[in-house]
Structures are given as C-alpha cells and as structure tokens.
Amino acid sequence: MTSHVIVEADGGSRGNPGPAGYGAVVKDADGGVLAERKEGLGVVTNNVAEYRGLIAGLAAAAELGASTVDVRMDSKLVVEQMSGRWKIKHPDMQPLAEQAKELAAGFTRVKYEWIPRAQNSHADRLANEAMDEATGKPAAGKPASPPKLPTRKPDRATVAWTGAKGTPTRLLLLRHGQTEMSALRRYSGRGDVPLTELGRAQAAAAAKRLAAMDGLVVDGEAVPIISSPLTRTKQTAQAVADALGGRVETHPGLIETDFGDWEGLTFAEAADRDPELHGSWLGDSSVPPPGGESFDVVHRRVRKARDELIAEYGGRTLLLVSHVTPIKTLLRMGLDAGPQLLFRLHLDLASLSIVEFYPDGNASVRLVNDTSHLS
C-alpha cells in the first residue's frame, strides 16, 4: 500500500471532436512509476478525454490503496473545475466531473495543480500512444490498420452556405498596446514590461471602440475578458473592462512565445548572434530559439487554451487580450492554414481581429488587424 501518490493525467482529440485518447500515470513521492493507464476513446472532444484521463488516474490510485493524491494536469479547465473555482456548464463534462468527484471522495485528500505541458510529458505520451492506436497509426514493428471512424450526413435543414452548424464561440482578439520593447522592435516574449504612455492611449482607444460594439454587454453583464498574465496585456484588458463594466481573468495559455536568449534583441541582433539557427527558425516552426519555445509548441499551447475556453464559454462572445503569436495562431486555426501564415500575417499594436469557432469543427475569420479606432 502506498499512502501518498502523484497522478499525472492528460487527454487529447485529433479534430476536437475527433479520434481521442487519454493517458494517466501514478507515481510515488520520489517520481517512481507505480501504474500507467491509456485508452482510445473513439470520437470525443479534448476536454472529455482529459476528464477520462483524470478518472483513470484516480481509479488507479485507489487500486494502489493511496490515501492522499496530488493530481497534476496541464488542463487548466479540469484543474479549475475540480478545485471548485470554475462552474461546470458543459453537459458532456458534468457526469464525468461527478464521477471524478466520487472517486476523489474515497481519499483522505486530493489536491489539484496545473502544470505546464512540458512537465506533463509522461501522461501526454501515453495519451498520444492511445490516439495513435485509435487512428490506426502503427506501433513499432506493427502494420497500420485503416481507422474506422463514424460517418455523418449533413443535416440540410441546418447547414448554412458555409457548411458551419450550431452557435459559434466568437473570439474578439485584441493585441496589447505599445511597450518600450515594441517601440524599439525588440523580441518581447516573457519579459514583463508595462505599456508606454502611447500604449495606454491605444488601450483606451480600443476600449472606447469595443464599448460601442453591440453584444459585448448583455443584461448589464460584460462578456468574459480573458488576458495573458503579462502586465502589458492585463493593462490593456483592464482598460476594456473599465469601459464595459467587466472584470479581467487571466489564462496562461495566452502568454507570448518564449524567445529565450533572443529576448530583448532586435531581429538583426538575433541574426548576428545565431545566424544559422535564426535562419532555420524563420523557415521551420519546430525550431525553438536558444532556451525558448518553438512555434509548434506555442500552437499546441494556444490550441489547448482555445479548447478550454470553448468548453467553459461555448456559444458565447469572449474578448481575449494577448500577443502577436497567440493571436496569429488563433487566426491560423480559423483559416485552417499552415505555419507559414505566422511569417506572412502582420498584426499592429492594439489591433482587433475576430474569429468564430463552430461546434461542428468549422470556423470563420471575420476581421483581421483592424486599427480604425487608432486613427
């Protein structure tokens, strides 16, 4: 019997919804692996798969006779909901959350902690193995079998000319105002710099424009305003919140790219410092800056944040205040485009873009880089 264990769990869906799977690992206090669980789930959403991973991890911990459990997941949605800080509104999540709570009640204590995706690699690997099996991708030395996915005929009565069905989640994407780093055109990622005087004026102009838009205040309540946790975005978001009468929440998935050792350098300085690497970085989204994160890593992080927000606020309008790369990434998802879009799309400071994501997987980009409020 092991009295205290650590459960790390994850889940994913290739298509959201799409072929999905979960992974869970139970470890002792020293990090030794006590149990692993993984399973393909058919066609479900990311969040359903994440909850199923949590349930499997808690069940495995119970089988080991644990009395206290530390649950670590990179799903902020699941962690916040199971901690009681976020409401569980989605009907697909409610029964799964109840099942997880019933399992948790069998322990003396369960603590939930959000961790970065990189720290959840073991469970992530198990989940991907389960998804590989679900999609027919061959394991080592095994031939692939064709995936068997359900087919669905379109409902002609509800299909618009775009093919999208259902009520979309509408994301208003606002880039932060000017900082000293952006004024000097320096790589500005995780460095926590405030807005300049001009940046505060840009934020105020954006707030005035948004306050005049229809549908951002419903029955006296402002739409959710969700910001990157960095000061420049929180200051911009607060200007909008003051104008709308709302409040600002933060989400770690909306933070800017980690530029590592290039933080604070200009384009030319980074190219002079690491000419070969900088050239590779410009043409390959899997290449990270030295000590930083690649655009592929950012894409996965932002996609997970988007899925968590849609699960929490599906069918509503949200205002997201973020940075260049996360906003480009959300527009890229809306356009179903490749990573080269990141290098071909320009976003000005305090610009507004709009993208809608439909529950059937379709999307529509409505606006890109609008700065009319700054003129």
Side-chain angles (χ1 to χ4, degrees), residues 178-240:
Q178 186 196 67
T179 70
E180 288 187 3
M181 296 281 277
S182 59
L184 295 171
R185 294 185 174 274
R186 296 186 178 276
Y187 286 123
S188 181
R190 302 299 174 85
D192 201 8
V193 292
L195 297 178
T196 61
E197 183 177 352
L198 175 59
R200 292 192 294 273
Q202 291 171 334
K208 182 178 179 181
R209 189 263 181 87
L210 289 163
M213 290 178 63
D214 291 334
L216 299 193
V217 178
V218 180
D219 296 329
E221 181 179 351
V223 298
I225 302 169
I226 303 159
S227 168
S228 153
L230 295 178
T231 298
R232 57 193 183 269
T233 44
K234 289 195 293 184
Q235 287 178 317
T236 305
Q238 190 59 55
V240 179

Side-chain angles (χ1 to χ4, degrees), residues 13 41 56 86 102 105 109 111 139 168 172 175 196 217 224 283 288 314 319 363:
S13 171
L41 298 172
W86 287 5
E102 289 177 8
R109 178 188 62 80
K111 176 184 175 183
L172 278 66
R175 187 187 173 197
T196 61
V217 178
L319 174 64

Side-chain angles (χ1 to χ4, degrees), residues 8 27 35 52 83 116 122-123 138 141 144 158 178 193 209 211 218 245 260 270 288-289 299 312 330 342 348:
E8 297 172 359
K27 300 179 179 179
R52 289 291 300 275
S83 299
H122 192 145
T158 60
Q178 186 196 67
V193 292
R209 189 263 181 87
V218 180
H299 188 90
E312 181 72 8
L330 288 163
L342 300 174
D348 287 296

Side-chain angles (χ1 to χ4, degrees), residues 93-171:
M93 308 303 151
Q94 291 169 349
L96 295 172
E98 287 302 315
Q99 187 177 351
K101 288 177 182 178
E102 289 177 8
L103 285 166
F107 302 102
T108 304
R109 178 188 62 80
V110 178
K111 176 184 175 183
Y112 296 93
E113 176 188 2
W114 177 86
I115 58 174
R117 185 183 184 91
Q119 295 179 21
N120 202 30
S121 58
H122 192 145
D124 178 71
R125 173 176 58 79
L126 293 172
N128 274 286
E129 288 174 0
M131 283 186 279
D132 287 344
E133 294 168 4
T135 55
K137 183 176 179 179
K142 294 183 179 180
S145 56
K148 297 180 179 180
L149 302 179
T151 58
R152 182 179 65 183
K153 295 182 179 180
D155 181 350
R156 293 182 180 178
T158 60
V159 176
W161 70 271
T162 61
K165 293 185 290 181
T167 302
T169 303
R170 188 171 185 239
L171 304 183

